Amino acid sequence: MNKALSPSELYNLTTTADVPVMTRREKLLRFARIVRETQTQFIIFSNLEYMNPAQLSQCDHPHSPFAAAAADSTLRNTGLTGQTAADAMRFFELSQDDLHAFSCDCGGAITNEDMARRIERIANRTA
C-alpha cells in the first residue's frame, strides 16, 4: 500500500530549490544572446534534418553553438547536461526542423547574428 506524503515531502517534490526554472522561451533567448555575443564564427552541421536520434547524439563539436550553450553556467545550472545536437533538442525543446533552421549548412554559411535571430524567432513562436 502507498503511504501518503507529508506536506514537506510534497513541497520537495514540487520545487527545485537547487535548479533555477526557466521557460523554454527564456532558455532560447539566453541561447540567442550567447550566440550573438560569441566573437568566433560557429561551425554548423550537415544534413541535420536527415539524422536519426543516435546520429544527433554524436553530432558534437567544440566550436558549435551547442558547445557554447553548454559552457554557460546559467544554462548548465538549469539542466543542460551536454553539448550535442540531441542534448540541445531535449533541453531547448526543439524539433528537428527547429534545429535545422539555425544550425544546418544546407543554406550555406550563417553569421552568429543571423543564427541568433533565427533562435529568437523560434523562441517567439512559443511566447
Side-chain angles (χ1 to χ4, degrees):
M1 183 148 220
N2 293 335
K3 170 188 144 210
L5 296 175
S6 71
S8 64
E9 290 170 320
L10 283 171
Y11 175 80
N12 288 338
L13 286 174
T14 60
T15 62
T16 53
D18 295 340
V19 179
V21 176
M22 293 177 82
T23 65
R24 176 180 189 254
R25 184 173 187 276
E26 290 169 331
K27 291 186 284 189
L28 285 166
L29 291 176
R30 181 156 184 95
F31 185 24
R33 192 175 93 213
I34 291 164
V35 167
R36 183 174 280 116
E37 292 175 356
T38 298
Q39 298 301 310
T40 58
Q41 186 71 29
F42 289 115
I43 66 102
I44 50 179
F45 298 98
S46 294
N47 299 314
L48 285 173
E49 67 273 30
Y50 303 115
M51 291 185 184
N52 63 44
Q55 291 168 316
L56 290 167
S57 291
Q58 298 299 312
C59 199
D60 183 4
H61 193 282
H63 299 293
S64 73
F66 314 128
D72 179 69
S73 61
T74 298
L75 294 179
R76 275 196 327 273
N77 291 337
T78 307
L80 181 57
T81 58
Q83 65 179 32
T84 69
D87 295 325
M89 284 180 69
R90 276 189 297 277
F91 179 74
F92 294 108
E93 303 172 51
L94 298 169
S95 69
Q96 205 156 343
D97 287 338
D98 292 336
L99 191 72
H100 174 257
F102 70 85
S103 59
C104 191
D105 67 0
C106 63
I110 180 173
T111 66
N112 291 8
E113 180 63 31
D114 286 338
M115 185 182 294
R117 273 190 252 138
R118 291 178 187 189
I119 294 167
E120 287 166 343
R121 275 196 296 271
I122 294 166
N124 289 330
R125 281 196 328 243
T126 63

